Amino acid sequence: MPFEVQKMPDPASTSTHPTAAARATIRDPIAVAQQKQINAAKLRKFADKVATWLMPALTIAAFLLIWEVISNAFPGGLPAPSMVLLESQELIFNPFYDRGGVDKGLFWHVMTSLSRVGIGFGLAAIAGVLLGAFIGTVDLARKGLDPIFQVFRTVPPLAWLPISLAALREAEPSALFVIFITSIWPIVINTAVGVRNIPQDYLNVAKVLRLHPVEFFFQIMLPAATPHIFTGLRIGVGMSWLAIVASEMLLGGVGIGFFIWDQYNSSRMSDIIVALMWVGMVGFILDRLVAMIGQYVSRGTTAD
Amino acid sequence: MQKPILSLENIYVDFERDGVISHVLDNVSLSVKAGEFISIIGHSGCGKSTLLNVVAGLVPVTMGAALLENKEITGPGPERAVVFQNHSLLPWMTVYENVKLAVNKLYGHTESMKKVHERVMNNLDLVKMTHAKDKRPGEISGGMKQRVGIARALSMEPKVLLLDEPFGALDALTRGHLQDTVMELHDRIKATVLMITHDVDEAVLLADRVVMMSNGPKATIGKIVDVTSPRPRVRRELYDDRSFMSCRQEIVSFLEEHDRVVKFEPVPA
């Protein structure tokens, strides 16, 4: 990246104090060489950091530009970015407005959807870890249940909706159930793998100490399986976000999924594009959040 | 003659794998007096780990019995604490918490928090690890981890302490330091110890008796040698000690003799 190199001149080669440089050379050529090396490393690090932030900005800009050009070339189709900015001004710049009913800013729609994910995914996490620990320890249970789980886990979220509506008869619990049933499988399966892979050494320690099952669960099993559990949770939270947006489209009311459907019915494409960005950003943040918590909680578990 | 604290009586251990039965131990008998330090030495795969695991209760016997204070050993328990070769500390707990897990399990119901804390600190002090009590196993060296492993085992106040190649994964210098620590501890707390090793010098230096095992499969005790060198022993003086050298010679020739008849058959570790 030549433009960055120009920004940060190499202090060793372009020093404005020849006397100082000369003195240093005389005194200790090794120190000068080391300094050069340090400066070069610093420059590399700085360039790398700039690239990390600059490159995504460049790709986004390029993407928007291409979109703008194509949309203008074929008018009447997808609105161009400039058009979105113009048409959905309020939606973009004021996510907090609330005029009652479903006429709310995107923040409130997202919060409603998130609270559903919070409940559904929270229940799935608790039930999934317990069930995973169970089939991870009891081999007969694993043999009996694993084939069923492997089939259920491939059922798409929306396919669960009719069944849950028929069984639960109301929209809200049905939405929660869809999230629950979609996100629980990766949690169960990963937890079971983690539990089955607890090193024999830890099991021996537990045996010698004669830990009883509850102590074993909290002191050994949970911490040892934490990295696997969080892999499952991370996949699960992503799937529950997919599930909620889809199921809200059918269920109606407040929520980002229904918002998108509603705007589609009134042909407001710009609003949908803004909502899509919210969905993407929130999904991204959810994923990172779970990953970060996982990293914090499982610090040390992999260290040997 | 003192009554034995631990006695192994005609122990046979067979493992089954894919329908093939391998005889690992064949008629092993041994009695150990209280306070005695026994080294078990033999070639890799000869079943010495299996023997230790029988005493630990981690491997069931096919025939025969292992008795601790005249009671048959049927499963693992803290009165037969094990120091595992690869330390087996729980990496998500600090050094202090690793020892505390054991102390809590054994004394947490009957003793106050303060007493439990004292026990943990005392045991860490025995192996000189109090300075690192808040570190996690990932942050300390291999030798330090093994020290903590020993502290954890000692904190169970075992009747027999089982060391499964405790210094096998350590470099020579660290190994020497830890051998000194174990010798010192043995003198101080008069523990009964069963130690597996494949290092001849280590076996002789630490032990009252060295048990030599023949090669597997169907391994058994080939020879037992008494180490009569007086304690406390000092490593650098031992090479001038005639009885030490003769023990050493005896073991080396036993091992060399058996090296020639190694049969390469699959034997579970």
Side-chain angles (χ1 to χ4, degrees), chain A residues 90-108:
Chain A
E90 187 181 24
L91 222 48
I92 296 170
F93 296 108
N94 185 12
F96 301 110
Y97 75 86
D98 186 353
R99 299 198 194 93
V102 294
D103 192 7
K104 296 173 198 284
L106 280 176
F107 176 80
W108 302 113

Side-chain angles (χ1 to χ4, degrees), chain A:
Chain A
M1 273 146 278
F3 54 91
E4 277 133 24
V5 178
Q6 281 164 3
K7 260 192 266 174
M8 264 199 59
D10 186 353
S13 59
T14 60
S15 175
T16 48
H17 301 285
T19 48
R23 222 189 302 140
T25 319
I26 293 159
R27 208 157 51 197
D28 191 355
I30 295 172
V32 175
Q34 280 173 342
Q35 191 56 47
K36 231 178 192 167
Q37 217 169 9
I38 291 168
N39 288 337
K42 269 188 191 160
L43 188 64
R44 263 202 309 275
K45 228 178 213 168
F46 178 75
D48 191 54
K49 223 176 206 169
V50 171
T52 315
W53 291 100
L54 199 69
M55 288 315 290
L58 283 176
T59 40
I60 291 171
F63 173 71
L64 289 174
L65 192 71
I66 294 167
W67 177 6
E68 182 80 36
V69 170
I70 293 178
S71 291
N72 287 331
F74 305 98
L78 210 60
S82 57
M83 197 68 162
V84 173
L85 203 64
L86 207 68
E87 281 184 355
S88 306
Q89 245 179 23
E90 187 181 24
L91 222 48
I92 296 170
F93 296 108
N94 185 12
F96 301 110
Y97 75 86
D98 186 353
R99 299 198 194 93
V102 294
D103 192 7
K104 296 173 198 284
L106 280 176
F107 176 80
W108 302 113
H109 287 288
V110 165
M111 281 317 278
T112 307
S113 301
L114 271 180
S115 72
R116 289 182 183 134
V117 166
I119 296 168
F121 175 71
L123 291 174
I126 295 167
V129 168
L130 290 176
L131 198 56
F134 175 63
I135 66 166
T137 2
V138 184
D139 204 46
L140 274 181
R142 186 180 61 87
K143 286 203 170 84
L145 292 170
D146 194 56
I148 303 172
F149 291 170
Q150 295 296 346
V151 171
F152 277 179
R153 117 193 133 82
T154 62
V155 175
L158 278 187
W160 289 105
L161 195 59
I163 293 180
S164 62
L165 268 175
L168 300 168
R169 287 162 196 286
E170 270 177 73
E172 192 66 31
S174 299
L176 296 182
F177 177 77
V178 169
I179 293 171
F180 176 85
I181 206 73
T182 313
S183 57
I184 194 170
W185 309 120
I187 303 172
V188 171
I189 291 166
N190 279 285
T191 303
V193 170
V195 167
R196 279 165 60 80
N197 285 328
I198 296 175
Q200 187 62 41
D201 298 331
Y202 303 162
L203 302 181
N204 283 344
V205 169
K207 280 186 197 159
V208 169
L209 281 173
R210 292 206 186 116
L211 295 182
H212 60 69
V214 178
E215 285 172 325
F216 178 72
F217 181 75
F218 285 109
Q219 306 275 15
I220 312 260
M221 193 191 280
L222 267 193
T226 296
H228 277 98
I229 291 174
F230 269 89
T231 305
L233 289 176
R234 208 171 151 189
I235 300 170
V237 83
M239 294 187 69
S240 64
W241 190 235
L242 294 180
I244 189 58
V245 174
S247 56
E248 278 175 352
M249 285 186 173
L250 297 180
L251 292 172
V254 181
I256 191 75
F258 181 67
F259 177 86
I260 291 172
W261 189 244
D262 202 28
Q263 300 315 99
Y264 174 71
N265 285 329
S266 37
S267 299
R268 294 188 52 87
M269 290 306 284
S270 307
D271 288 359
I272 296 177
I273 288 164
V274 177
L276 273 191
M277 299 202 169
W278 274 80
V279 172
M281 290 308 290
V282 170
F284 175 75
I285 291 168
L286 279 179
D287 179 72
R288 281 303 149 99
L289 201 66
V290 176
M292 263 165 56
I293 295 170
Q295 232 165 43
Y296 175 75
V297 175
S298 59
R299 72 201 181 287
T301 43
T302 44
D304 193 24

Side-chain angles (χ1 to χ4, degrees), chain B residues 4-268:
Chain B
I5 184 170
L6 175 75
S7 65
L8 310 179
E9 293 172 4
N10 309 91
I11 287 179
Y12 292 77
V13 174
D14 299 342
F15 286 134
E16 187 262 2
R17 197 181 210 167
D18 301 329
V20 181
I21 299 217
S22 48
H23 306 281
V24 180
L25 294 180
D26 187 276
N27 199 6
V28 173
S29 295
L30 178 70
S31 51
V32 181
K33 291 180 292 231
E36 206 175 11
F37 197 122
I38 305 269
S39 293
I40 301 172
I41 196 165
H43 287 290
S44 314
C46 76
K48 48 193 198 301
S49 274
T50 306
L51 184 60
L52 192 94
N53 282 337
V54 165
V55 179
L58 293 166
V59 166
V61 295
T62 309
M63 260 204 302
L67 305 171
L68 180 70
E69 292 182 330
N70 283 324
K71 266 181 274 173
E72 187 171 356
I73 292 166
T74 51
E79 74 279 1
R80 284 162 283 122
V82 190
V83 177
F84 298 95
Q85 178 174 13
N86 45 0
H87 69 78
S88 293
L89 299 179
L90 304 175
W92 51 86
M93 293 182 181
T94 62
V95 161
Y96 179 88
E97 288 164 343
N98 264 290
V99 179
K100 196 181 170 191
L101 178 70
V103 176
N104 246 346
K105 180 63 196 166
L106 291 166
Y107 306 100
H109 305 294
T110 50
E111 292 181 357
S112 66
M113 298 275 280
K114 199 173 147 241
K115 195 77 204 299
V116 166
H117 172 76
E118 275 168 19
R119 272 185 192 274
V120 177
M121 293 311 283
N122 280 343
N123 283 293
L124 284 176
D125 192 44
L126 281 177
V127 295
K128 304 186 184 70
M129 281 301 294
T130 43
H131 63 281
K133 73 179 176 68
D134 296 320
K135 291 239 165 73
R136 283 167 196 278
E139 300 166 328
I140 58 179
S141 70
M144 286 174 157
K145 280 182 226 178
Q146 210 47 281
R147 281 175 190 276
V148 180
I150 293 170
R152 178 174 64 184
L154 288 176
S155 75
M156 303 177 204
E157 302 200 340
K159 288 176 182 144
V160 181
L161 181 62
L162 306 172
L163 308 176
D164 187 359
E165 287 190 41
F167 317 130
L170 304 176
D171 64 272
L173 278 175
T174 315
R175 185 179 256 252
H177 281 304
L178 273 174
Q179 287 166 353
D180 291 341
T181 306
V182 168
M183 261 197 293
E184 195 191 306
L185 285 173
H186 179 243
D187 282 346
R188 257 172 78 180
I189 59 181
K190 308 289 174 219
T192 312
V193 185
L194 226 59
M195 179 183 75
I196 285 178
T197 178
H198 49 233
D199 178 329
V200 177
D201 283 352
E202 180 173 287
V204 180
L205 174 66
L206 296 178
D208 298 312
R209 279 196 290 162
V210 179
V211 171
M212 287 164 258
M213 293 196 55
S214 67
N215 286 320
K218 288 198 162 191
T220 188
I221 292 176
K223 206 173 188 184
I224 299 179
V225 122
D226 287 299
V227 185
T228 50
S229 309
R231 291 175 188 274
R233 296 174 188 159
V234 182
R235 181 192 316 278
R236 59 179 178 280
E237 289 167 9
L238 280 176
Y239 286 93
D240 304 326
D241 180 346
R242 182 163 295 178
S243 66
F244 173 86
M245 288 314 279
S246 76
C247 283
R248 195 177 179 284
Q249 196 47 52
E250 208 174 330
I251 297 167
V252 169
S253 30
F254 176 90
L255 291 175
E256 278 181 351
E257 202 177 297
H258 281 76
D259 207 17
R260 284 196 291 271
V261 290
V262 175
K263 291 178 213 131
F264 289 99
E265 282 181 47
V267 175

